[in-house]
Amino acid sequence: GFRKKMASAPFLVGVLALAAVTMAAGVATPAAFCAPSRLPSSALLPGCRSPPRAASAVSPCMAARGTEETPQPHQAAWTAIQGMARMVPAVLAVASLGLAPDMGAAMGAPDLSTTPLKNTGAQMVVEGIPRIVDGDTIVIDEGKGGKGERVRLLGIDAPESKQVCKDAKGADYMCGIESQKALQKLVGNDKVKCLAHKRDMYQRVLGVCYDVRTGVDLNKAMVDEGEAIAYTQYSKVYVPDEEQAKSKGAGVWRGDFEKPWEYRKLKRQASQQLKSTVKLPKKKDAAATTAAPAADLSDDELGDDAGQ
């Protein structure tokens, strides 16, 4: 919670602004708000004029400047800065408890010019707390009946849930599970907003999704971290991010892996070959043939790479 809040740009700007106020209150003195008395009294602003004083009376401004001048501080400005400085500890304490305002919610409309929606714009908006199915699929606002909007992250392709990859030492690891965990880490418990132009043949929303609190583009972030790759068959906007991830050896790029669409193709071919050589019994146990909820099916289990 607090680490993510600290990472958000609006929060950091707010903290830095408050720190600046604190420093100003620490270094500013009444003398800093005094106007020189070398000008005629009539030329001074009303707040800087002072009535005649006895020679023995020395104002804070005079003491600070080491002269017998008779300027007077802008008390209103000085009092305001001191009051703001006293608020800093309370504001930081609230932020440290995770109770600071949801600054991400105040962000304007996302810039779609660097997304797969740059030419079409968005016709749909889906927003809510997501359940992460895999590295490129989420289900938003899933109810008790298992229903919810299934969203396929547009322009990227992540390893499938059961896909195995090779790490830098050639050892097998479950890259599909790692990808799913990476997306879960990005989202945490935050609300997600997905913008979309259309659905695919399986009625999945094809969306560019953002973390509402932090404003992070989840599609781009997954490619940046090497936990998904650019789905160039449908969009090339994330290719530069993929190249950077590859150069850093991030995620799947640290070793060898099959492109997710190639993995699905080989799996379908193997399944079709098995069906053609093995005769299944006509009658099956009803419990064994119960279909899984659509929201739980991964791309390879859906049986086709639906056009985006």
Side-chain angles (χ1 to χ4, degrees):
F2 181 54
R3 288 185 179 179
K4 283 193 175 182
K5 195 174 293 297
M6 286 289 288
S8 67
F11 178 80
L12 290 176
V13 170
V15 171
L16 290 175
L18 289 172
V21 170
T22 306
M23 291 175 65
V27 301
T29 65
F33 296 91
C34 293
S37 62
R38 294 186 181 87
L39 294 173
S41 178
S42 60
L44 295 176
L45 296 174
C48 291
R49 297 173 189 165
S50 61
R53 298 187 181 211
S56 60
V58 180
S59 69
C61 290
M62 293 159 61
R65 296 172 67 90
T67 69
E68 291 299 316
E69 298 172 348
T70 58
Q72 188 160 317
H74 291 293
Q75 290 295 338
W78 172 244
T79 302
I81 285 189
Q82 287 182 318
M84 292 173 67
R86 285 195 291 269
M87 294 172 60
V88 173
V91 172
L92 293 178
V94 171
S96 67
L97 293 174
L99 301 177
D102 187 354
M103 297 180 182
M107 294 176 58
D111 179 10
L112 300 180
S113 64
T114 57
T115 76
L117 296 174
K118 63 180 180 179
N119 295 325
T120 63
Q123 304 296 325
M124 295 180 283
V125 178
V126 181
E127 183 172 357
I129 302 297
R131 178 172 66 85
I132 310 302
V133 177
D134 56 31
D136 56 30
T137 309
I138 62 177
V139 179
I140 293 180
D141 285 343
E142 188 174 42
K144 293 183 179 180
K147 296 181 179 180
E149 282 286 10
R150 183 181 175 91
V151 182
R152 176 68 163 78
L153 272 58
L154 182 62
I156 73 171
D157 205 4
E160 296 301 323
S161 299
K162 298 178 182 178
Q163 188 171 344
V164 178
C165 301
K166 300 282 187 182
D167 64 16
K169 297 181 179 180
D172 291 343
Y173 75 99
M174 301 297 292
C175 51
I177 293 177
E178 181 179 280
S179 178
Q180 187 266 350
K181 289 181 177 179
L183 183 54
Q184 182 66 70
K185 184 177 179 180
L186 280 171
V187 174
N189 296 317
D190 294 343
K191 183 181 292 186
V192 165
K193 177 182 288 187
C194 299
L195 307 180
H197 177 67
K198 64 178 183 179
R199 298 174 183 268
D200 66 9
M201 61 183 291
Y202 300 112
Q203 294 304 302
R204 297 177 299 183
V205 174
L206 299 174
V208 176
C209 299
Y210 299 85
D211 184 304
V212 171
R213 183 180 62 83
T214 64
V216 170
D217 178 341
L218 299 175
N219 302 45
K220 181 180 185 300
M222 286 295 288
V223 179
D224 284 338
E225 295 187 6
E227 298 299 347
I229 61 177
Y231 207 167
T232 54
Q233 182 178 348
Y234 301 104
S235 176
K236 293 181 172 61
V237 296
Y238 297 122
V239 169
D241 304 287
E242 177 182 297
E243 291 175 348
Q244 288 187 11
K246 185 176 182 179
S247 66
K248 295 185 295 186
V252 294
W253 297 107
R254 67 181 182 268
D256 295 325
F257 68 99
E258 286 180 315
K259 301 290 177 64
W261 55 84
E262 294 174 349
Y263 170 84
R264 291 191 294 270
K265 180 179 179 180
L266 290 174
K267 185 173 180 180
R268 284 195 299 272
Q269 290 175 346
S271 177
Q272 291 170 356
Q273 184 176 5
L274 179 63
K275 289 179 181 179
S276 64
T277 56
V278 178
K279 292 184 178 181
L280 299 176
K282 294 181 179 181
K283 294 183 180 181
K284 299 179 183 178
D285 180 60
T289 59
T290 301
D296 288 322
L297 297 176
S298 58
D299 290 339
D300 58 321
E301 292 171 317
L302 285 171
D304 193 10
D305 285 319
Q308 295 191 359

